[in-house]
Amino acid sequence: MGRYGDAAELTRNGILEALRSRRVYATNGRRTILRFHRGAVPMGGTLRLEGPSKPRRFNIAVVGDGPIATVTVVKNNTDVATFKGDGLVFSDSWTDDAPAKTGDYYYVRVA
């Protein structure tokens, strides 16, 4: 299993900080680079909302060492958007127009 931590430095403390900040993801052997963020808030960050009904736009970028078939955005453990991949690189954005609730969480699944 591969692991990635968006560590400021590749030291024990830097990697532990990335784990604590939830800026990590795992792969099943593929070497994949993933960026999932909203503005300046990186993966694992806590969003400050301007209002519960304001849309939230997320940016997604994936670089794989093999073909990217699909990229799925998951919100609160439910698939909310699926994009078709085409090649080794994927880049797009997705907007959540649903009202925000305390505790909402998002992640991306790449296949």
Side-chain angles (χ1 to χ4, degrees):
M1 175 187 292
R3 301 176 295 284
Y4 173 81
D6 191 11
E9 52 187 53
L10 293 178
T11 63
R12 181 184 190 122
N13 287 339
I15 292 169
L16 287 173
E17 176 56 30
L19 286 166
R20 288 184 193 109
S21 300
R22 301 179 310 261
R23 293 189 317 264
V24 297
Y25 60 88
T27 68
N28 61 355
R30 293 180 61 169
R31 297 191 184 274
T32 302
I33 299 170
L34 170 67
R35 294 284 183 247
F36 180 56
H37 60 93
R38 179 176 186 267
V41 180
M43 176 175 67
T46 301
L47 299 173
R48 290 198 174 275
L49 300 177
E50 298 152 7
S53 60
K54 285 227 174 192
R56 289 149 323 277
R57 180 184 168 133
F58 295 89
N59 297 305
I60 309 159
V62 183
V63 177
D65 66 351
I68 298 167
T70 59
V71 176
T72 304
V73 178
V74 181
K75 176 184 178 184
N76 299 333
N77 218 26
T78 302
D79 294 359
V80 291
T82 299
F83 303 89
K84 275 190 99 68
D86 184 23
L88 302 178
V89 178
F90 173 87
S91 181
D92 210 329
S93 63
W94 172 75
T95 301
D96 186 359
D97 294 319
K101 296 181 297 227
T102 301
D104 281 347
Y105 63 93
Y106 304 84
Y107 64 90
V108 171
R109 184 173 51 244
V110 179

